[in-house]
Amino acid sequence: MIEKKLETLGIELPIPPTPAGSYIPAVKTGNLLFISGQIPMENGKVMFTGKVSDDNLEVAQKSARMCAINILAQIKRELGDLDRVTKIVRLSGFVNSMPEFSQHPKVINAASDLLFELFGEKGKHSRIALGVACLPLDSMTEIDAIVEFSE
């Protein structure tokens, strides 16, 4: 069902990005899946880089949406089927922003909105959205997730 929704939206899940450091992309414990921070990577390349400001808010939203798509790719790799997701529990969103930028929630909304659209009530989650001085590989955004799943 979720994969059909993705298809309808014209979204094809990429091969999940590999870690850029000494960690693993996901950890399962009980019925929770912790997805490590995902940056806007596609085919091994960071697609959205640099500082976020009021002038490039829409580009930053595309970056956040791509992070969510990479989160979905990691979930699929770990669980084999996105329909096993019973709840998106939490997102933590980080925005590589200029000091005067204060619209971090608007940036991360692009990721949240995609998850709401795909999962409905199961996609409603808690969240933080904050600005940081820099992110790995100069990416505009990084988002991690906690997901509940069924066996």
Side-chain angles (χ1 to χ4, degrees):
M1 186 165 130
I2 300 300
E3 303 236 8
K4 290 253 188 240
K5 286 183 182 179
L6 284 168
E7 194 176 307
T8 302
L9 294 171
I11 298 172
E12 185 177 329
L13 293 183
I15 295 169
T18 56
S22 299
Y23 61 92
I24 57 176
V27 171
K28 279 193 245 183
T29 183
N31 67 335
L32 292 177
L33 180 62
F34 292 76
I35 305 292
S36 295
Q38 299 296 300
I39 60 177
M41 291 276 268
E42 187 172 79
N43 298 320
K45 182 178 182 221
V46 181
M47 302 305 291
F48 300 98
T49 61
K51 295 286 184 190
V52 177
S53 68
D54 291 328
D55 295 333
N56 62 4
L57 175 62
E58 288 180 13
V59 174
Q61 289 169 326
K62 289 177 184 175
S63 177
R65 188 172 194 270
M66 184 174 278
C67 291
I69 290 168
N70 284 332
I71 287 169
L72 292 168
Q74 295 290 359
I75 294 169
K76 176 149 172 101
R77 182 181 58 78
E78 285 295 317
L79 302 181
D81 183 356
L82 293 173
D83 288 320
R84 289 182 59 196
V85 171
T86 56
K87 187 75 177 161
I88 304 295
V89 177
R90 181 176 176 89
L91 294 185
S92 299
F94 304 91
V95 180
N96 180 7
S97 59
M98 300 294 288
E100 65 277 2
F101 184 75
S102 62
Q103 298 188 70
H104 311 100
K106 282 187 180 177
V107 173
I108 304 303
N109 279 350
S112 293
D113 291 347
L114 176 61
L115 296 174
F116 295 158
E117 187 171 2
L118 289 171
F119 293 98
E121 285 297 312
K122 296 177 190 177
K124 291 184 177 178
H125 52 269
S126 68
R127 187 184 87 182
I128 61 170
L130 42 102
V132 295
C134 64
L135 285 170
L137 306 175
D138 196 34
S139 66
M140 279 188 150
T141 55
E142 181 173 2
I143 304 174
D144 71 5
I146 302 171
V147 177
E148 181 186 64
F149 63 94
S150 64
E151 293 301 325

